[in-house]
Amino acid sequence: MRHDRREVKGKKITTIEGLPESNPVKRAWIKEQVVQCGYCQPGIIMQVAALVSQTPTPSADQIIGKMDDVICRCGTYPRIKKGIKTAVQMARKEGK
């Protein structure tokens, strides 16, 4: 999805580099060894981080809806789903 600069002007933007190492999504990705080649991981991690911050207890449909736009070339979807589940559990436990 391409955005016009005017859509983001004056808004706070967080990139993968700006997501703290303590973030539950980053920790879950390491714990569950989600990454294979890494091509899609920044996009997926940022999608999951946004989902977890906006919806602390997302339903399966909400998770699928949020992840529909991100394609993993390696097909690590089972590990990605496990990572999402772990991230949600960690965030819930920590009250984030």
Side-chain angles (χ1 to χ4, degrees), residues 24 52 55-59 63 84-96:
V52 170
T55 311
T57 312
S59 68
I63 291 169
I84 293 169
K85 182 178 179 181
T86 299
V88 168
Q89 289 170 346
M90 287 177 166
R92 192 177 317 138
K93 183 177 176 183
E94 297 165 11
K96 292 185 179 181

Side-chain angles (χ1 to χ4, degrees), residues 24-96:
V25 179
K26 279 191 173 180
R27 292 191 351 261
W29 250 236
I30 292 167
K31 179 181 180 194
E32 302 299 347
Q33 298 181 350
V34 173
V35 179
Q36 184 166 320
C37 81
Y39 178 81
C40 63
Q41 295 306 305
I44 291 174
I45 289 170
M46 295 310 292
Q47 288 282 76
V48 175
L51 174 65
V52 170
S53 72
Q54 296 164 0
T55 311
T57 312
S59 68
D61 287 341
Q62 288 171 310
I63 291 169
I64 291 168
K66 190 73 168 180
M67 303 313 297
D68 269 352
D69 292 337
V70 184
I71 297 172
C72 173
R73 294 174 18 163
C74 299
T76 61
Y77 295 108
R79 292 194 319 232
I80 291 168
K81 288 179 185 176
K82 190 172 184 180
I84 293 169
K85 182 178 179 181
T86 299
V88 168
Q89 289 170 346
M90 287 177 166
R92 192 177 317 138
K93 183 177 176 183
E94 297 165 11
K96 292 185 179 181

Side-chain angles (χ1 to χ4, degrees), residues 2 8-9 16 18 22 28 34 39 55 58 80:
R2 188 174 176 153
V8 296
K9 187 175 181 179
I16 189 75
S22 62
V34 173
Y39 178 81
T55 311
I80 291 168

